[in-house]
Coordinates of all heavy atoms in Angstrom, one line a residue:
M68 N 15.1 2.0 -23.7 CA 15.4 1.9 -25.1 C 14.2 1.3 -25.9 O 13.9 1.7 -27.0 CB 16.7 1.2 -25.4 CG 17.9 1.9 -24.9 SD 18.1 3.7 -25.3 CE 18.1 3.7 -27.1
V69 N 13.5 0.3 -25.3 CA 12.4 -0.3 -25.9 C 11.2 0.8 -26.0 O 10.6 1.0 -27.1 CB 11.9 -1.5 -25.2 CG1 10.6 -2.0 -25.8 CG2 12.9 -2.6 -25.2
C70 N 11.0 1.5 -24.9 CA 10.0 2.6 -25.0 C 10.3 3.6 -26.1 O 9.4 4.1 -26.8 CB 9.9 3.3 -23.6 SG 9.3 2.3 -22.3
R71 N 11.5 3.9 -26.2 CA 12.0 4.9 -27.3 C 11.6 4.3 -28.7 O 11.1 5.0 -29.5 CB 13.4 5.2 -27.1 CG 14.0 6.2 -28.0 CD 15.5 6.5 -27.8 NE 16.0 7.6 -28.5 CZ 16.0 8.8 -28.1 NH1 15.6 9.1 -26.9 NH2 16.5 9.8 -28.8
R72 N 12.0 3.1 -28.9 CA 11.7 2.5 -30.2 C 10.3 2.2 -30.5 O 9.8 2.5 -31.6 CB 12.4 1.1 -30.3 CG 13.8 1.2 -30.9 CD 14.3 -0.2 -31.3 NE 15.5 -0.1 -31.9 CZ 15.8 -0.7 -33.1 NH1 14.8 -1.5 -33.7 NH2 16.9 -0.6 -33.7
V73 N 9.5 1.7 -29.5 CA 8.1 1.3 -29.7 C 7.2 2.5 -29.6 O 6.3 2.7 -30.4 CB 7.7 0.2 -28.7 CG1 6.2 -0.1 -28.8 CG2 8.6 -1.0 -28.9
Y74 N 7.4 3.4 -28.6 CA 6.5 4.5 -28.3 C 7.0 5.9 -28.7 O 6.2 6.8 -28.6 CB 6.0 4.4 -26.9 CG 5.5 3.1 -26.4 CD1 6.2 2.4 -25.5 CD2 4.3 2.6 -27.0 CE1 5.7 1.1 -25.1 CE2 3.8 1.4 -26.6 CZ 4.5 0.7 -25.6 OH 4.0 -0.6 -25.2
G75 N 8.3 6.0 -29.0 CA 8.9 7.3 -29.3 C 9.0 8.2 -28.1 O 9.1 9.4 -28.2
I76 N 9.1 7.5 -26.9 CA 9.3 8.3 -25.7 C 10.5 7.8 -24.9 O 10.8 6.6 -25.0 CB 8.0 8.3 -24.8 CG1 7.7 6.9 -24.4 CG2 6.9 9.0 -25.5 CD1 6.6 6.8 -23.3
D77 N 11.0 8.6 -24.1 CA 12.1 8.2 -23.1 C 11.4 8.0 -21.8 O 10.7 8.9 -21.3 CB 13.2 9.3 -23.0 CG 14.0 9.3 -24.3 OD1 14.3 8.3 -24.9 OD2 14.4 10.4 -24.7
H78 N 11.7 6.9 -21.2 CA 11.1 6.6 -19.8 C 12.0 7.3 -18.8 O 13.2 7.3 -18.9 CB 11.1 5.1 -19.6 CG 10.1 4.7 -18.6 ND1 10.4 4.8 -17.3 CD2 8.9 4.2 -18.7 CE1 9.3 4.3 -16.6 NE2 8.4 4.0 -17.4
G79 N 11.4 7.8 -17.8 CA 12.2 8.5 -16.7 C 13.2 7.7 -16.0 O 14.3 7.9 -15.9
E80 N 12.7 6.6 -15.3 CA 13.5 5.8 -14.5 C 13.9 4.5 -15.3 O 13.0 3.9 -16.0 CB 12.8 5.4 -13.2 CG 12.6 6.6 -12.3 CD 11.9 6.2 -11.0 OE1 12.1 5.0 -10.6 OE2 11.2 7.0 -10.4
V81 N 15.1 4.1 -15.2 CA 15.6 2.9 -16.0 C 16.3 2.0 -15.1 O 16.8 2.4 -14.0 CB 16.4 3.3 -17.2 CG1 15.7 4.1 -18.2 CG2 17.7 4.0 -16.8
E82 N 16.4 0.8 -15.5 CA 17.3 -0.2 -15.0 C 18.3 -0.6 -16.0 O 18.0 -0.5 -17.2 CB 16.5 -1.5 -14.5 CG 15.5 -1.2 -13.5 CD 14.7 -2.5 -13.1 OE1 14.8 -3.5 -13.8 OE2 13.9 -2.3 -12.2
L83 N 19.5 -0.9 -15.6 CA 20.6 -1.3 -16.6 C 20.6 -2.8 -16.9 O 20.7 -3.6 -15.9 CB 21.9 -0.8 -16.2 CG 22.0 0.7 -16.0 CD1 23.4 1.1 -15.4 CD2 21.7 1.4 -17.3
H84 N 20.4 -3.1 -18.1 CA 20.4 -4.6 -18.5 C 21.7 -4.9 -19.2 O 22.2 -4.2 -20.1 CB 19.3 -4.8 -19.5 CG 19.3 -6.2 -20.1 ND1 19.1 -7.3 -19.4 CD2 19.5 -6.6 -21.4 CE1 19.2 -8.4 -20.2 NE2 19.5 -7.9 -21.4
H85 N 22.4 -6.0 -18.7 CA 23.6 -6.4 -19.3 C 23.3 -7.4 -20.4 O 22.6 -8.4 -20.2 CB 24.4 -7.2 -18.3 CG 25.1 -6.4 -17.2 ND1 26.3 -5.8 -17.4 CD2 24.7 -6.0 -16.0 CE1 26.7 -5.1 -16.3 NE2 25.7 -5.2 -15.5
I86 N 23.7 -7.0 -21.6 CA 23.5 -7.9 -22.8 C 24.6 -9.0 -22.7 O 25.8 -8.7 -22.4 CB 23.6 -7.1 -24.1 CG1 23.2 -7.9 -25.3 CG2 24.9 -6.4 -24.3 CD1 23.0 -7.1 -26.5
R87 N 24.2 -10.2 -23.0 CA 25.1 -11.3 -22.9 C 25.3 -12.1 -24.2 O 26.2 -12.9 -24.3 CB 24.7 -12.3 -21.8 CG 24.8 -11.7 -20.5 CD 24.4 -12.7 -19.4 NE 24.4 -12.0 -18.1 CZ 23.8 -12.4 -17.1 NH1 23.0 -13.5 -17.2 NH2 23.8 -11.8 -15.9
G88 N 24.4 -11.9 -25.2 CA 24.4 -12.7 -26.4 C 25.7 -12.9 -27.0 O 26.4 -11.9 -27.5
G89 N 26.2 -14.1 -27.0 CA 27.5 -14.4 -27.7 C 28.7 -14.0 -27.0 O 29.8 -14.1 -27.4
R90 N 28.5 -13.4 -25.8 CA 29.7 -12.8 -25.1 C 30.0 -13.7 -23.8 O 30.7 -13.2 -22.9 CB 29.4 -11.4 -24.7 CG 29.3 -10.5 -25.9 CD 29.1 -9.0 -25.4 NE 29.2 -8.1 -26.5 CZ 28.1 -7.6 -27.1 NH1 26.9 -8.0 -26.8 NH2 28.3 -6.8 -28.1
G91 N 29.5 -14.8 -23.7 CA 29.7 -15.7 -22.6 C 28.7 -15.5 -21.5 O 27.7 -14.7 -21.7
W92 N 28.8 -16.1 -20.3 CA 27.8 -16.1 -19.3 C 28.0 -14.9 -18.3 O 27.1 -14.5 -17.6 CB 27.9 -17.4 -18.5 CG 27.3 -18.5 -19.3 CD1 28.0 -19.5 -20.0 CD2 25.9 -18.8 -19.5 NE1 27.1 -20.3 -20.6 CE2 25.8 -19.9 -20.4 CE3 24.7 -18.2 -19.1 CZ2 24.6 -20.4 -20.8 CZ3 23.5 -18.7 -19.5 CH2 23.5 -19.8 -20.3
G93 N 29.2 -14.4 -18.2 CA 29.5 -13.3 -17.3 C 28.9 -12.0 -17.8 O 28.6 -11.8 -18.9
K94 N 28.7 -11.1 -16.8 CA 28.2 -9.8 -17.2 C 29.3 -9.0 -17.9 O 30.5 -9.1 -17.5 CB 27.7 -9.0 -15.9 CG 26.5 -9.6 -15.3 CD 26.1 -8.8 -14.1 CE 24.8 -9.3 -13.5 NZ 24.3 -8.6 -12.4
G95 N 28.9 -8.3 -18.9 CA 29.9 -7.5 -19.6 C 30.3 -6.2 -18.9 O 29.9 -6.0 -17.7
D96 N 31.0 -5.4 -19.5 CA 31.3 -4.1 -18.9 C 30.3 -3.0 -19.3 O 29.2 -3.3 -19.8 CB 32.8 -3.7 -19.3 CG 32.9 -3.5 -20.8 OD1 31.9 -3.4 -21.5 OD2 34.1 -3.5 -21.3
Y97 N 30.7 -1.8 -19.0 CA 29.7 -0.7 -19.3 C 29.3 -0.6 -20.8 O 28.3 0.0 -21.1 CB 30.3 0.6 -18.8 CG 31.4 1.2 -19.7 CD1 31.1 2.1 -20.7 CD2 32.7 0.8 -19.5 CE1 32.1 2.6 -21.5 CE2 33.7 1.2 -20.3 CZ 33.4 2.1 -21.3 OH 34.4 2.6 -22.1
T98 N 30.1 -1.1 -21.7 CA 29.8 -1.0 -23.1 C 28.7 -2.0 -23.5 O 28.3 -2.0 -24.7 CB 31.0 -1.3 -24.0 OG1 31.5 -2.6 -23.7 CG2 32.1 -0.3 -23.7
T99 N 28.2 -2.8 -22.6 CA 27.2 -3.8 -23.0 C 25.9 -3.5 -22.1 O 25.1 -4.4 -22.0 CB 27.7 -5.2 -22.7 OG1 28.0 -5.4 -21.3 CG2 28.9 -5.6 -23.6
L100 N 25.7 -2.3 -21.7 CA 24.6 -2.0 -20.9 C 23.5 -1.3 -21.7 O 23.8 -0.4 -22.5 CB 24.9 -1.0 -19.7 CG 25.8 -1.6 -18.6 CD1 26.3 -0.5 -17.7 CD2 25.1 -2.7 -17.9
I101 N 22.2 -1.7 -21.5 CA 21.1 -1.1 -22.2 C 20.1 -0.6 -21.1 O 19.7 -1.3 -20.2 CB 20.3 -2.2 -23.0 CG1 21.2 -2.8 -24.0 CG2 19.1 -1.5 -23.7 CD1 20.6 -4.0 -24.7
P102 N 19.8 0.7 -21.1 CA 18.8 1.2 -20.2 C 17.4 0.8 -20.6 O 17.0 1.1 -21.7 CB 19.0 2.8 -20.3 CG 19.6 3.0 -21.6 CD 20.3 1.8 -22.0
L103 N 16.7 0.2 -19.7 CA 15.3 -0.3 -19.9 C 14.5 0.1 -18.7 O 14.9 0.1 -17.6 CB 15.3 -1.8 -20.1 CG 16.1 -2.4 -21.2 CD1 16.1 -3.9 -21.1 CD2 15.5 -2.0 -22.5
C104 N 13.2 0.4 -19.0 CA 12.2 0.6 -17.9 C 12.0 -0.7 -17.2 O 12.4 -1.8 -17.8 CB 10.9 1.2 -18.4 SG 9.9 0.1 -19.4
T105 N 11.4 -0.7 -16.1 CA 11.2 -1.9 -15.3 C 10.5 -3.0 -16.1 O 10.8 -4.1 -16.1 CB 10.5 -1.6 -14.0 OG1 11.3 -0.6 -13.3 CG2 10.3 -2.8 -13.1
E106 N 9.4 -2.5 -16.8 CA 8.6 -3.5 -17.5 C 9.4 -4.2 -18.6 O 9.3 -5.4 -18.8 CB 7.3 -2.8 -18.1 CG 6.5 -3.7 -19.0 CD 6.0 -5.0 -18.3 OE1 5.8 -5.0 -17.1 OE2 5.9 -6.0 -19.0
H107 N 10.1 -3.4 -19.4 CA 10.9 -3.9 -20.5 C 12.2 -4.7 -20.1 O 12.8 -5.3 -20.9 CB 11.2 -2.9 -21.5 CG 10.0 -2.4 -22.2 ND1 9.5 -1.1 -22.3 CD2 9.0 -3.2 -22.9 CE1 8.4 -1.1 -23.0 NE2 8.1 -2.3 -23.3
H108 N 12.5 -4.5 -18.8 CA 13.7 -5.3 -18.2 C 13.2 -6.6 -17.6 O 13.5 -7.6 -18.0 CB 14.4 -4.4 -17.3 CG 15.7 -5.0 -16.8 ND1 16.2 -4.8 -15.5 CD2 16.6 -5.8 -17.4 CE1 17.3 -5.5 -15.4 NE2 17.6 -6.1 -16.5
R109 N 12.4 -6.4 -16.5 CA 12.0 -7.6 -15.7 C 10.5 -8.0 -15.8 O 10.1 -9.0 -15.3 CB 12.3 -7.3 -14.2 CG 13.7 -7.1 -13.9 CD 14.0 -6.9 -12.4 NE 13.6 -5.5 -12.1 CZ 12.8 -5.2 -11.1 NH1 12.2 -6.1 -10.4 NH2 12.5 -3.9 -10.8
G110 N 9.7 -7.1 -16.5 CA 8.3 -7.4 -16.6 C 7.9 -8.5 -17.5 O 8.8 -9.1 -18.2
N111 N 6.6 -8.8 -17.6 CA 6.1 -9.9 -18.5 C 6.5 -9.7 -20.0 O 6.7 -10.6 -20.7 CB 4.6 -10.0 -18.4 CG 4.2 -10.6 -17.0 OD1 5.0 -11.3 -16.4 ND2 3.0 -10.2 -16.6
T112 N 6.6 -8.4 -20.4 CA 7.0 -8.1 -21.8 C 8.4 -7.6 -21.9 O 8.8 -7.0 -22.9 CB 6.0 -7.0 -22.4 OG1 6.2 -5.8 -21.7 CG2 4.6 -7.5 -22.4
G113 N 9.2 -8.0 -20.9 CA 10.6 -7.5 -20.9 C 11.6 -8.7 -21.4 O 11.2 -9.8 -21.6
V114 N 12.8 -8.3 -21.4 CA 13.9 -9.3 -21.8 C 13.9 -10.5 -20.9 O 13.9 -11.6 -21.4 CB 15.3 -8.6 -21.7 CG1 16.4 -9.6 -22.0 CG2 15.4 -7.4 -22.7
H115 N 13.8 -10.3 -19.6 CA 13.8 -11.4 -18.7 C 12.4 -12.1 -18.6 O 12.4 -13.3 -18.4 CB 14.3 -11.0 -17.3 CG 15.7 -10.5 -17.3 ND1 16.8 -11.4 -17.4 CD2 16.2 -9.3 -17.1 CE1 17.9 -10.7 -17.4 NE2 17.6 -9.4 -17.2
G116 N 11.4 -11.3 -18.8 CA 10.0 -11.9 -18.7 C 9.7 -12.8 -19.9 O 9.2 -13.9 -19.8
L117 N 10.1 -12.3 -21.1 CA 9.9 -13.1 -22.3 C 11.0 -14.1 -22.6 O 10.8 -15.1 -23.2 CB 9.8 -12.1 -23.6 CG 8.6 -11.2 -23.7 CD1 8.8 -10.2 -24.8 CD2 7.4 -12.0 -23.9
G118 N 12.2 -13.8 -22.2 CA 13.3 -14.6 -22.5 C 14.1 -14.0 -23.7 O 13.5 -13.4 -24.5
T119 N 15.3 -14.3 -23.8 CA 16.1 -13.7 -24.8 C 15.8 -14.2 -26.2 O 16.0 -13.6 -27.2 CB 17.6 -13.9 -24.6 OG1 17.9 -15.3 -24.4 CG2 18.1 -13.2 -23.3
K120 N 15.2 -15.4 -26.3 CA 14.8 -15.9 -27.6 C 13.4 -15.4 -28.1 O 13.2 -15.1 -29.2 CB 14.7 -17.4 -27.6 CG 16.1 -18.0 -27.5 CD 16.1 -19.5 -27.6 CE 17.5 -20.1 -27.4 NZ 17.6 -21.5 -27.4
A121 N 12.5 -15.2 -27.1 CA 11.2 -14.7 -27.5 C 11.1 -13.2 -27.6 O 10.3 -12.7 -28.3 CB 10.1 -15.2 -26.4
F122 N 12.0 -12.5 -27.0 CA 12.1 -11.0 -27.0 C 12.1 -10.5 -28.4 O 11.3 -9.7 -28.8 CB 13.2 -10.5 -26.1 CG 13.3 -9.0 -26.1 CD1 12.5 -8.3 -25.2 CD2 14.2 -8.3 -26.9 CE1 12.6 -6.9 -25.1 CE2 14.3 -7.0 -26.8 CZ 13.5 -6.3 -25.9
P123 N 13.1 -10.9 -29.2 CA 13.1 -10.4 -30.6 C 11.9 -10.8 -31.5 O 11.5 -10.1 -32.3 CB 14.4 -10.9 -31.2 CG 14.9 -12.0 -30.3 CD 14.2 -11.8 -29.0
N124 N 11.4 -12.0 -31.2 CA 10.2 -12.4 -31.9 C 9.0 -11.5 -31.6 O 8.1 -11.2 -32.4 CB 9.8 -13.8 -31.6 CG 10.8 -14.8 -32.2 OD1 11.5 -14.5 -33.1 ND2 11.0 -15.9 -31.5
H125 N 8.9 -11.1 -30.3 CA 7.8 -10.2 -29.9 C 7.9 -8.8 -30.4 O 6.9 -8.2 -30.9 CB 7.8 -10.2 -28.4 CG 6.7 -9.4 -27.8 ND1 5.4 -9.9 -27.7 CD2 6.7 -8.2 -27.2 CE1 4.6 -9.0 -27.1 NE2 5.4 -7.9 -26.8
Y126 N 9.1 -8.3 -30.4 CA 9.3 -6.8 -30.8 C 9.8 -6.6 -32.2 O 9.6 -5.5 -32.8 CB 10.2 -6.2 -29.8 CG 9.6 -5.9 -28.5 CD1 10.0 -6.7 -27.4 CD2 8.6 -5.0 -28.3 CE1 9.4 -6.5 -26.1 CE2 8.1 -4.8 -27.0 CZ 8.4 -5.5 -26.0 OH 7.9 -5.3 -24.7
G127 N 10.5 -7.6 -32.8 CA 11.0 -7.4 -34.1 C 12.4 -6.7 -34.1 O 12.9 -6.3 -35.2
F128 N 13.0 -6.6 -33.0 CA 14.4 -6.2 -32.9 C 15.1 -6.9 -31.7 O 14.4 -7.5 -30.9 CB 14.5 -4.6 -32.7 CG 13.6 -4.1 -31.6 CD1 14.0 -4.1 -30.3 CD2 12.4 -3.5 -31.9 CE1 13.2 -3.6 -29.3 CE2 11.6 -3.0 -30.9 CZ 12.0 -3.0 -29.6
T129 N 16.4 -6.9 -31.7 CA 17.2 -7.7 -30.8 C 17.8 -6.8 -29.7 O 17.8 -5.5 -29.8 CB 18.3 -8.4 -31.5 OG1 19.2 -7.4 -32.0 CG2 17.8 -9.3 -32.6
E130 N 18.3 -7.4 -28.7 CA 19.1 -6.7 -27.7 C 20.3 -6.0 -28.4 O 20.6 -4.8 -28.0 CB 19.6 -7.6 -26.6 CG 18.5 -8.2 -25.8 CD 19.1 -9.2 -24.8 OE1 19.6 -8.8 -23.8 OE2 19.0 -10.4 -25.2
E131 N 20.9 -6.6 -29.4 CA 22.0 -6.0 -30.1 C 21.6 -4.7 -30.8 O 22.3 -3.7 -30.9 CB 22.6 -7.0 -31.1 CG 23.4 -8.1 -30.4 CD 22.6 -9.2 -29.9 OE1 21.3 -9.3 -30.1 OE2 23.1 -10.1 -29.2
D132 N 20.3 -4.7 -31.4 CA 19.8 -3.5 -32.0 C 19.7 -2.4 -31.0 O 20.0 -1.2 -31.3 CB 18.4 -3.8 -32.6 CG 18.5 -4.8 -33.8 OD1 19.5 -4.8 -34.5 OD2 17.5 -5.5 -34.0
L133 N 19.2 -2.7 -29.8 CA 19.0 -1.7 -28.7 C 20.4 -1.2 -28.3 O 20.5 0.0 -28.1 CB 18.3 -2.3 -27.6 CG 16.8 -2.7 -27.8 CD1 16.2 -3.4 -26.6 CD2 16.0 -1.4 -28.1
L134 N 21.4 -2.1 -28.2 CA 22.7 -1.6 -27.9 C 23.3 -0.7 -28.9 O 23.9 0.3 -28.6 CB 23.6 -2.8 -27.6 CG 25.0 -2.5 -27.1 CD1 25.0 -1.8 -25.8 CD2 25.8 -3.8 -27.0
N135 N 23.0 -1.0 -30.2 CA 23.4 -0.1 -31.3 C 22.7 1.3 -31.1 O 23.4 2.3 -31.4 CB 23.1 -0.7 -32.6 CG 24.1 -1.8 -33.0 OD1 25.2 -1.9 -32.5 ND2 23.6 -2.7 -33.8
D136 N 21.5 1.3 -30.7 CA 20.8 2.6 -30.5 C 21.5 3.4 -29.4 O 21.6 4.6 -29.5 CB 19.3 2.3 -30.1 CG 18.5 1.8 -31.2 OD1 18.9 1.7 -32.4 OD2 17.3 1.4 -30.9
V137 N 21.8 2.7 -28.3 CA 22.5 3.3 -27.2 C 23.8 3.9 -27.7 O 24.1 5.1 -27.4 CB 22.8 2.4 -26.0 CG1 23.7 3.0 -25.0 CG2 21.5 1.9 -25.4
T138 N 24.6 3.2 -28.4 CA 25.9 3.6 -28.9 C 25.7 4.9 -29.8 O 26.5 5.8 -29.7 CB 26.6 2.5 -29.7 OG1 26.7 1.4 -28.9 CG2 27.9 2.9 -30.2
C139 N 24.7 4.9 -30.7 CA 24.4 6.0 -31.5 C 24.1 7.3 -30.7 O 24.5 8.4 -31.0 CB 23.3 5.7 -32.5 SG 23.8 4.6 -33.8
L140 N 23.2 7.1 -29.7 CA 22.8 8.2 -28.9 C 24.0 8.8 -28.1 O 24.1 10.0 -28.0 CB 21.7 7.8 -27.9 CG 20.3 7.6 -28.4 CD1 19.4 7.0 -27.4 CD2 19.8 9.0 -28.9
L141 N 24.8 7.9 -27.6 CA 26.0 8.4 -26.8 C 27.0 9.1 -27.7 O 27.6 10.1 -27.3 CB 26.7 7.2 -26.1 CG 25.9 6.6 -24.9 CD1 26.6 5.4 -24.4 CD2 25.8 7.7 -23.8
S142 N 27.1 8.6 -28.9 CA 28.1 9.3 -29.8 C 27.6 10.7 -30.2 O 28.4 11.6 -30.5 CB 28.3 8.5 -31.1 OG 27.2 8.4 -31.9
K143 N 26.3 10.9 -30.2 CA 25.8 12.3 -30.5 C 25.9 13.2 -29.3 O 25.8 14.4 -29.5 CB 24.3 12.1 -30.9 CG 24.1 11.4 -32.3 CD 22.6 11.3 -32.6 CE 22.5 10.5 -33.9 NZ 21.0 10.3 -34.2
S144 N 26.0 12.6 -28.1 CA 26.0 13.4 -26.9 C 27.4 14.0 -26.6 O 27.5 15.0 -25.9 CB 25.7 12.6 -25.7 OG 24.4 12.1 -25.8
F145 N 28.4 13.5 -27.3 CA 29.8 14.0 -27.0 C 30.3 14.8 -28.1 O 30.4 14.8 -29.1 CB 30.7 12.8 -26.7 CG 30.3 12.1 -25.4 CD1 29.6 10.9 -25.5 CD2 30.5 12.6 -24.2 CE1 29.2 10.2 -24.4 CE2 30.1 12.0 -23.0 CZ 29.5 10.7 -23.1

């Protein structure tokens, strides 16, 4: 989803990131998953690499914004 927002492309292989902000420490269910390429998930410029506080400062959007993008895309698919 970061690749889509930043570069306008969909990445082939993704990892599923569980968004946790404000939802407690446990992993959420399928409604809180964001598909991210390896770099934007676990890499130096990813959610886990930058940390959840630095991530939105670096990109200008939040994990919640990405989750909203996913929700919009899924609603158009059905």
Side-chain angles (χ1 to χ4, degrees):
M68 293 311 298
V69 174
C70 291
R71 185 180 187 92
R72 265 192 176 233
V73 174
Y74 305 114
I76 60 168
D77 289 323
H78 202 280
E80 295 183 25
V81 297
E82 299 177 350
L83 297 176
H84 172 66
H85 286 272
I86 188 171
R87 294 184 182 155
R90 294 183 171 96
W92 286 101
K94 291 183 178 178
D96 61 14
Y97 73 95
T98 62
T99 62
L100 293 173
I101 302 169
L103 298 171
C104 71
T105 303
E106 175 58 32
H107 290 126
H108 186 215
R109 297 181 284 126
N111 291 334
T112 61
V114 175
H115 294 289
L117 291 170
T119 55
K120 292 182 181 176
F122 182 83
N124 292 334
H125 182 79
Y126 288 106
F128 50 83
T129 65
E130 293 174 82
E131 288 83 5
D132 294 329
L133 294 173
L134 185 59
N135 288 335
D136 291 351
V137 171
T138 302
C139 288
L140 283 172
L141 288 174
S142 70
K143 292 177 184 177
S144 297
F145 296 103

